[in-house]
Amino acid sequence: MKLFTGLIFCSLALGVSSQWYAFFGEAAQGAWDMMRAYSDMIEANYKNSDKYFHARGNYDAAQRGPGGVWAAEKISDARENLQRVTDLFKYGDSGHGAEDSKADQAANEWGRSGGDPNHFRPPGLPDKY
């Protein structure tokens, strides 16, 4: 974390980008995109749709720019790491959910890299989403 903070500070201090503040705006908007996708997933409550919402949230955030990509990656990683910890308490060291977590991360990366989220869209999911 200290290394990352140092790199950000140095890049800002050295003037790598004349619009350094844009990164933070993109990150905030990307975080909002991720939250909106999560909220839509909860609202839809549609079977086998989680990969679609993972990809969509990451895709929308990445469209904001480098700050959005950064926010999407950090939020996605934090979510999957938290899920691993809670699964450990729920199921012990059984590996339960490991495959699902890998599939979620693949959908996250697909969306962040510009892949169409509809690749993961389940049949019958309402057009609203």
Side-chain angles (χ1 to χ4, degrees):
M1 187 65 177
K2 289 180 182 180
L3 175 64
F4 179 75
T5 304
L7 289 173
I8 292 291
F9 177 78
C10 287
S11 68
L12 295 177
L14 295 173
V16 171
S17 173
S18 62
Q19 295 190 359
W20 56 269
Y21 53 85
F23 180 88
F24 298 106
E26 293 167 357
Q29 291 171 332
W32 180 257
D33 291 332
M34 296 290 287
M35 188 183 83
R36 191 177 66 240
Y38 179 75
S39 176
D40 286 348
M41 181 174 68
I42 297 301
E43 179 184 311
N45 194 25
Y46 198 83
K47 188 173 181 143
N48 299 322
S49 67
D50 64 326
K51 306 301 180 272
Y52 166 73
F53 287 107
H54 278 269
R56 196 193 85 189
N58 278 269
Y59 177 84
D60 290 346
Q63 297 305 302
R64 303 290 185 173
V69 171
W70 178 83
E73 184 176 7
K74 297 306 172 199
I75 291 169
S76 296
D77 289 347
R79 169 66 179 102
E80 294 306 320
N81 289 333
L82 180 63
Q83 185 174 348
R84 273 190 256 154
V85 170
T86 58
D87 284 351
L88 185 62
F89 286 116
K90 267 176 134 171
Y91 305 107
D93 197 17
S94 67
H96 179 82
E99 297 83 19
D100 188 54
S101 182
K102 285 180 185 176
D104 286 349
Q105 287 290 43
N108 293 337
E109 180 59 34
W110 176 273
R112 269 196 310 273
S113 64
D116 183 4
N118 287 316
H119 174 77
F120 295 98
R121 188 181 187 87
L125 181 67
D127 290 339
K128 174 183 178 181
Y129 306 108

